[in-house]
Amino acid sequence: MMIRLTRNDLILWVIGLYLVLNYGFMQFRIPPVGGGGVPLGELVLLLVLLKVNYLIVYTRLSNVVFLFPFIVWWVYGLGRALAGVPEFGMWALRDASHVIESLFIIIGFIAVSRERDLERFFYWLPRVLIVISIYSLGFMFKDTLQGWSPSIVAGGGHDTPVLFNYANTAQLLLWAAVYILLFKVGVSSLPNYLLVLIATVLIGYAVLLFQGRITYLQLIVLFLLLLLYRRELIGQVIFSLFSILIFLLILPFTGIQLEGRLGQELSVDFIAKHIATIGGISADGVAGSAAGVHQRIGWWSELFFAWTSSVKTFIFGLGYGMPLIDFTLASGAVVREPHNSYISILARLGVVGAITWVWMHLILIVVWINAYRKCTHVRWREGQNRLLILLVFFVLIWVLALGQDAFEKPYNAIPYYFFWGVILRFMFNLKEKIRRQQEEPYADITSP
């Protein structure tokens, strides 16, 4: 039996695999050779863009956003990448993956062009989060499971396992927890207390076992976001956090010893010391984490002087192709970015690129705010929740980018820009529905 895979099927499968398999799926390229090959995400991007009716897309996108900064970002960024090819070869394009993958805004916009496609997307999303939540259980046995995984040659030339990498899983567990609170509490057939318990377990698993300092910051920002848009959920979030604290307090009395990613036994003392390393404060068991902060600051300082070394680099950046820092992992992989995407954008594309990127995002955020207000005006709670759950993902990436090269990783950047494309189409459809309602007062704006 032949399985017919439509364009939208292919896109959703690729987005889903980037979210679930992250670093391993990022290495799929054609051909899969070190330092070369076209990444699968870019290949799908190219195939879809070749069949786009740009006149229609431009007209409809222009109805939602001011496209000038987007066009400048793409033309300028790709131009800087191509300028680096003669000297650095394919690495110039590899380093410009953020610019290239931001074209997924267009893919997201056209992938949900019909109302049924948009409904299908929001049917697909929770199921991906369920898969991620189940898949995350393997994190406790990561080292063993990676030994069973097939391997692939990474872009840097070293072998890497395809499965069980969990590079972005912690933040996706937080995303899944917020999804449960937003969509399920009060409407699911499961009791509310059980749903809150599941959300608590997801948050606790992400914070206690993955032990990423950025996760603490993400959790704080998500709390503030819900305080702004869903105050009725704050009590449930506080209950979840309090439950996690109680779990840590009683754990030593159970005789059970649990260790997380850093190999330290779980305790309130460890969490407190680990949080303190965000400010570079060292302590027993977390000295490496604290040293990493000082290392990052050193990278950023050196890069600042390189970026401001001339008027040309200050305005137009250092370009693409060369690593921005001098650091090599034990595997032999060269670390090319300074673990801060905002600094990477500024260093590689200069003031011109940074201003354009910020301008583009300010426009996107304004679209989100306007769409949310329209949903509020027509009392469409489901529409509000759909906008909010995607904003949660954006916020998680924004925070992650403070301490990691988030936008330079396709498993973050591709879903991120694809979801922004979905937001733009959501707004376009919403405006069309409001226009039709004005013509037909009895039309239901919340129906597909």
Side-chain angles (χ1 to χ4, degrees):
M1 179 185 294
M2 290 186 62
I3 300 176
R4 184 173 178 267
L5 193 68
T6 67
R7 180 199 66 185
N8 287 356
D9 291 332
L10 176 63
I11 292 171
L12 290 180
W13 269 102
V14 168
I15 299 295
L17 287 169
Y18 271 117
L19 289 170
V20 176
L21 301 183
N22 48 77
Y23 186 78
F25 190 71
M26 181 183 87
Q27 304 302 336
F28 277 79
R29 305 176 313 285
I30 300 176
V33 295
V38 180
L40 191 58
E42 273 79 347
L43 183 60
V44 171
L45 176 69
L46 178 62
L47 292 175
V48 176
L49 290 180
L50 286 175
K51 300 187 70 175
V52 169
N53 186 324
Y54 287 97
L55 180 59
I56 293 177
V57 171
Y58 177 84
T59 302
R60 293 180 178 175
L61 272 174
S62 298
N63 185 261
V64 181
V65 292
F66 178 49
L67 280 174
F68 177 75
F70 294 83
I71 295 172
V72 171
W73 165 257
W74 290 323
V75 172
Y76 175 65
L78 291 174
R80 291 292 279 146
L82 292 173
V85 171
E87 182 177 358
F88 299 104
M90 291 299 294
W91 278 113
L93 296 177
R94 164 64 182 82
D95 290 341
S97 64
H98 177 196
V99 177
I100 296 170
E101 287 155 4
S102 65
L103 287 164
F104 267 88
I105 288 178
I106 299 174
I107 306 301
F109 187 77
I110 65 177
V112 293
S113 57
R114 295 173 297 184
E115 196 65 36
R116 67 184 182 187
D117 294 325
L118 190 61
E119 293 299 316
R120 183 185 176 201
F121 168 79
F122 285 107
Y123 176 84
W124 164 89
L125 180 57
R127 283 150 183 81
V128 171
L129 292 177
I130 290 172
V131 171
I132 290 168
S133 300
I134 296 172
Y135 183 69
S136 71
L137 296 176
F139 178 73
M140 296 181 290
F141 316 102
K142 173 182 174 182
D143 294 337
T144 300
L145 292 174
Q146 283 187 348
W148 299 342
S149 169
S151 297
I152 190 171
V153 178
H158 59 283
D159 286 343
T160 190
V162 173
L163 306 175
F164 310 114
N165 289 288
Y166 302 108
N168 65 340
T169 307
Q171 69 182 19
L172 298 182
L173 291 177
L174 296 182
W175 193 28
V178 176
Y179 187 96
I180 290 173
L181 296 178
L182 275 178
F183 285 90
K184 297 301 181 183
V185 172
V187 297
S188 172
S189 58
L190 293 175
N192 281 7
Y193 75 87
L194 183 57
L195 292 166
V196 174
L197 178 61
I198 294 172
T200 301
V201 170
L202 292 174
I203 295 170
Y205 194 73
V207 173
L208 300 181
L209 293 183
F210 281 84
Q211 296 178 348
R213 287 167 298 175
I214 208 73
T215 307
Y216 307 134
L217 297 178
Q218 289 173 324
L219 199 55
I220 292 170
V221 175
L222 288 182
F223 183 88
L224 296 176
L225 183 67
L226 291 177
L227 188 63
L228 181 62
Y229 286 104
R230 284 292 181 273
R231 291 187 181 181
E232 67 272 20
L233 298 179
I234 291 301
Q236 293 157 358
V237 174
I238 292 175
F239 170 81
S240 295
L241 298 178
F242 185 72
S243 299
I244 293 169
L245 176 61
I246 295 299
F247 171 78
L248 285 175
L249 289 173
I250 67 174
L251 188 60
F253 301 100
T254 65
I256 301 174
Q257 293 184 340
L258 294 178
E259 294 183 357
R261 178 179 62 90
L262 298 179
Q264 299 295 311
E265 185 177 343
L266 294 184
S267 67
V268 174
D269 180 62
F270 165 76
I271 295 297
K273 290 190 294 185
H274 196 215
I275 292 174
T277 64
I278 295 174
I281 300 173
S282 183
D284 291 340
V286 292
S289 297
V293 174
H294 299 296
Q295 184 181 51
R296 282 173 168 82
I297 293 174
W299 289 341
W300 300 343
S301 299
E302 292 176 5
L303 194 52
F304 173 81
F305 289 113
W307 166 56
T308 58
S309 61
S310 70
V311 174
K312 179 181 177 182
T313 56
F314 177 77
I315 296 175
F316 300 108
L318 300 169
Y320 292 109
M322 80 296 289
L324 291 179
I325 59 175
D326 182 16
F327 187 74
T328 303
L329 298 176
S331 63
V334 175
V335 179
R336 308 183 64 82
E337 305 295 338
H339 283 58
N340 184 305
S341 284
Y342 307 112
I343 292 176
S344 289
I345 293 168
L346 190 60
R348 290 203 182 275
L349 293 177
V351 173
V352 173
I355 290 176
T356 304
W357 188 81
V358 171
W359 187 7
M360 183 173 73
H361 272 77
L362 288 175
I363 291 173
L364 290 172
I365 292 169
V366 168
V367 169
W368 186 94
I369 293 172
N370 289 336
Y372 190 85
R373 285 175 176 172
K374 289 180 185 298
C375 289
T376 303
H377 179 71
V378 299
R379 299 180 181 179
W380 186 20
R381 190 70 165 187
E382 182 80 4
Q384 291 177 349
N385 286 341
R386 289 176 172 185
L387 291 168
L388 271 174
I389 198 60
L390 293 182
L391 180 63
V392 167
F393 182 83
F394 303 147
V395 167
L396 289 170
I397 296 296
W398 293 338
V399 177
L400 181 65
L402 292 170
Q404 295 291 337
D405 48 343
F407 286 106
E408 288 69 43
K409 292 292 192 291
Y411 52 79
N412 293 320
I414 288 177
Y416 176 86
Y417 286 109
F418 178 82
F419 294 157
W420 269 121
V422 171
I423 292 290
L424 296 182
R425 174 59 72 170
F426 185 97
M427 181 58 164
F428 178 85
N429 290 352
L430 195 57
K431 291 175 70 174
E432 287 295 301
K433 286 181 176 182
I434 291 174
R435 180 186 60 79
R436 289 198 301 269
Q437 189 185 50
Q438 291 171 346
E439 296 174 355
E440 304 175 26
Y442 295 103
D444 184 3
I445 197 172
T446 65
S447 62

